[in-house]
Amino acid sequence: MEGRRAMAVEGLHHVTSLASGAVANNAFFTTVLGLRRVKTTVNFDAPEVYHLYYGDEVGRPGSVLTCFPYEGARRGRRGTGEVHVTAFSVPEGSLPDWQARLHAAGVPGLSVEERFGEARLLFDGPDGERLALVERADGRTPWAGGGVAAAMAIRGFHAVTLRLADAGPTAELLQAMGYAETGRDRALRRFELARHNGAGIVDLETVAAAPAVQGAGSVHHVAFAVPDRAAQDALRQALADQGLRATPPIDRDYFHAIYFRSPGGVLFEIATNAPGFTRDEAPEHLGEALKLPRQHEHLRGRLERDLVPLDP
C-alpha cells in the first residue's frame, strides 16, 4: 500500500471490549489491576448500557481500556478476525509481584512466557478476555491512587495481538499506517512504530481457526491515535484511496472517531488525542460522576435510577 506518510498514527489510543456485568468489570480493572476509572458514561448507541473508561491518571491516549458491560451478556467465542490478547506495560522485574497479586485475587489462566525477548504474564479477565502484563522499560507515569505500588503499576498499553486467518493484508495496512515489521516468531509477526505514545506495537498471529463470535470478553474494536482532526481527515482520505471505506468523523465527546473494517476482519478506529477526558471534569474528580452525551441528557433521571451502582 502507498500513502504511508498520510496514514501515520501515533500508537494505540484505546481498546474497547464487551463485558457481562458493570460491577465485576469495574472492580477488576480498578481494584485488581489498579487502573483509574477516568470516565463513567453510557454507550452512545445504547444509553441503558454503561461505557466505562479505565487508564492512567488522566486517561492519556495509549493507556485506556474501555468497556461496554451488557448485563448478563453471553461470552464470545475466540477465533480469527479479532484482538486475541490485550497487553499492558509494567516495569522490569515486577512480574513476580503481579503473579502473586493476581493469584491472591483468584484470577484464572495465569501463565508466564517470553515473546520477542520480553517476559509476559498472561491471565483471563472477568469475562474470559485474554490479557497480559509485559515487562519493559517504560517512562510513562502510572496512576498512583489505585492501590498498586508505583514500582509495579501499569504504565499503559504495550501491544495488541490480532489473531487472523491471513495476516498478509493487515500487515500491508499496518505498514501503510507507519508500522515496520521488527520480528517474527513462528506464527507471530511484530510491527512497531519508530516514534509513538508508548503503545506502539501490534502483533499479528496467523492461525487456522473458525471466525470469532463476539460476546462478553471480546474486543469490540481497537483504536489508533492521531493528534487532531486534520490528521484524521488526511488518514481517512488515504484509506479511501486504498479502497477502505471509513465512517465520517463522529464526535465521541472526548475524541473524534472514524471506523473501518480492517482486511482481517478486526474493527479499527482512528481517534483524535483531543479534547481528552478533562473536558468536563476536573482531573482530581475524573470518573466520579455520570456524564451523558448531550443527546441522552434528557434520560438522566431514568438512567441514574436504572444503571447499577458501580462503587460500594
Side-chain angles (χ1 to χ4, degrees):
M1 285 187 179
E2 299 178 357
R4 182 169 182 164
R5 184 183 301 275
M7 293 177 67
V9 299
E10 296 184 338
L12 299 176
H13 186 283
H14 65 270
V15 176
T16 295
S17 297
L18 304 174
S20 66
V23 173
N25 183 267
N26 177 71
F28 181 81
F29 287 106
T30 61
T31 303
V32 178
L33 293 191
L35 298 175
R36 185 182 192 187
R37 193 176 77 232
V38 294
K39 195 61 60 180
T40 305
T41 184
V42 297
N43 188 324
F44 269 69
D45 302 316
E48 69 280 1
V49 176
Y50 275 119
H51 192 177
L52 305 176
Y53 293 75
Y54 310 104
D56 65 11
E57 183 174 6
V58 293
R60 294 177 182 88
S63 76
V64 179
L65 181 77
T66 98
C67 295
F68 296 135
Y70 288 84
E71 298 297 323
R74 181 179 299 178
R75 282 197 179 183
R77 186 185 71 198
R78 294 175 183 169
T80 56
E82 69 169 350
V83 175
H84 180 61
V85 180
T86 301
F88 297 93
S89 172
V90 296
E92 293 173 307
S94 67
L95 283 193
D97 289 337
W98 272 110
Q99 189 166 13
R101 179 182 180 87
L102 297 182
H103 177 75
V107 174
L110 290 167
S111 66
V112 178
E113 66 175 25
E114 184 175 294
R115 178 186 291 190
F116 297 111
E118 297 171 323
R120 51 197 277 126
L121 175 63
L122 289 156
F123 57 99
D124 292 337
D127 286 297
E129 60 268 52
R130 202 63 171 149
L131 304 169
L133 301 175
V134 181
E135 287 188 349
R136 64 172 0 211
D138 191 328
R140 289 177 288 176
T141 302
W143 165 235
V148 177
M152 62 182 284
I154 289 171
R155 267 48 181 172
F157 289 125
H158 170 267
V160 290
T161 300
L162 311 187
R163 179 168 276 186
L164 307 170
D166 178 5
T170 301
E172 291 183 13
L173 172 61
L174 290 175
Q175 289 168 328
M177 292 168 63
Y179 289 82
E181 185 171 356
T182 59
R184 294 197 181 199
D185 183 359
R186 292 166 289 183
L188 287 166
R189 299 170 66 180
R190 169 153 290 185
F191 293 82
E192 297 188 59
L193 294 167
R195 299 179 64 183
H196 53 81
N197 59 10
I201 298 175
V202 176
D203 289 339
L204 303 183
E205 182 181 15
T206 303
V207 298
V213 176
Q214 287 207 336
S218 301
V219 170
H220 184 268
H221 63 269
V222 57
F224 298 86
V226 290
D228 51 35
R229 291 287 304 281
Q232 186 183 67
D233 289 343
L235 195 149
R236 183 170 181 265
Q237 182 58 56
L239 289 169
D241 293 343
Q242 303 298 336
L244 294 170
R245 299 180 60 182
T247 66
I250 301 172
D251 184 354
R252 295 303 195 194
D253 286 350
Y254 310 107
F255 47 86
H256 285 80
I258 63 173
Y259 303 85
F260 66 99
R261 188 70 60 179
S262 68
V266 181
L267 184 61
F268 279 11
E269 174 184 338
I270 308 298
T272 60
N273 291 337
F277 297 105
T278 59
R279 68 173 293 273
D280 59 0
E281 286 182 297
E284 60 270 25
H285 294 296
L286 285 176
E288 294 178 6
L290 177 64
K291 296 297 180 180
L292 297 178
R294 289 180 296 277
Q295 64 269 36
H296 297 319
E297 186 60 47
H298 69 285
L299 301 174
R300 176 171 293 277
R302 175 170 67 83
L303 294 175
E304 289 183 339
R305 181 182 67 249
D306 293 347
L307 288 167
V308 60
L310 296 174
D311 301 306

